[in-house]
Amino acid sequence: MITKPPIDELTEKAGDKYTLCCVVAKRAKELHNNPELPPNKKPISYASEEFDDGIVEISKKL
């Protein structure tokens, strides 16, 4: 469960929960078994922090 950053803040940045879920899940999948990930962090938590910090952005394809 994501508690930090708060899920409501992340949802506001993403626009809706579905978009938030897609963005964070895709980034977490990229981070899985990646040396960039600190050993004490779970990929989903790290990805949500990256999204909150503006490192990961939403791209809308037309």
Side-chain angles (χ1 to χ4, degrees):
M1 175 182 228
I2 301 172
T3 57
K4 191 174 184 181
I7 192 88
D8 294 332
E9 288 179 19
L10 294 175
T11 303
E12 274 186 36
K13 288 182 179 184
D16 58 63
K17 288 183 181 180
Y18 178 77
T19 303
L20 173 64
C21 180
C22 291
V23 169
V24 172
K26 184 173 184 176
R27 179 61 179 149
K29 190 174 180 180
E30 293 173 354
L31 289 169
H32 188 67
N33 294 328
N34 188 326
E36 179 181 333
L37 183 68
N40 61 341
K41 287 280 192 175
K42 293 182 179 179
I44 199 82
S45 296
Y46 196 76
S48 65
E49 289 173 8
E50 284 186 337
F51 181 70
D52 188 43
D53 293 340
I55 298 169
V56 175
E57 296 179 353
I58 298 171
S59 65
K60 303 221 177 188
K61 294 182 182 181
L62 297 175

